[in-house]
Amino acid sequence: LEKVNQELAQLLNWKKPGEFVPTTRWADVGASTPTDALLTFFWAAEHEQHDRVEQVADVQAFRNYANRVTRETDQDPEGRFTVGHIMFREHLRGLQINSQWLNSLDEVELEVTLTRGDGTTYVQRPKLRRVGGEWQLDLMSLTSIKFTVVETGKSATGVAQP
């Protein structure tokens, strides 16, 4: 019980709610907490650090989804297209963590307000899961993802809405 209480205390020790974090303060801060993993993910996506994106996000589930969509929409009916690197195409000014829900010791849901380059905002509720000692963003938990996928000189742009 003491160990569980310590883990809960660590999970609840996160960035102050309501604090706006501009892109200039995004950094690779690791993935030992859900908010650190989220900030690291957005930093890596913004700077096209593909290997780091794959370390802090469940990219394979997103690839499986994107591949299924391309087959089902007849863009690639035989499933020959394989998603390579995922490059996010929406320039952001920053993010604000509004709240956090602890679904279990290994799953957290955050409410995050993202500010676009043009100043408009939208809310996302990403889930993060603990895998081993690190946290990973569940890309499929995002409401919509603007992305470009690149594979051997080909690219396709779209919005995935799980």
Side-chain angles (χ1 to χ4, degrees), residues 51-112:
D51 291 341
R52 194 63 176 130
V53 166
E54 292 199 22
Q55 292 169 356
V56 295
D58 185 358
V59 175
Q60 191 57 49
F62 180 73
R63 282 187 177 130
N64 293 342
Y65 172 78
N67 287 331
R68 190 184 85 235
V69 167
T70 59
R71 281 190 306 277
E72 290 175 359
T73 59
D74 290 330
Q75 294 176 35
D76 183 26
E78 292 164 30
R80 292 173 301 196
F81 181 80
T82 302
V83 176
H85 293 305
I86 299 170
M87 297 185 301
F88 296 90
R89 288 285 138 219
E90 184 160 43
H91 175 70
L92 298 173
R93 285 189 186 174
L95 63 83
Q96 178 178 334
I97 298 171
N98 303 321
S99 56
Q100 173 175 286
W101 294 270
L102 185 63
N103 296 338
S104 73
L105 287 178
D106 294 322
E107 184 178 280
V108 170
E109 188 172 340
L110 302 175
E111 182 182 86
V112 179

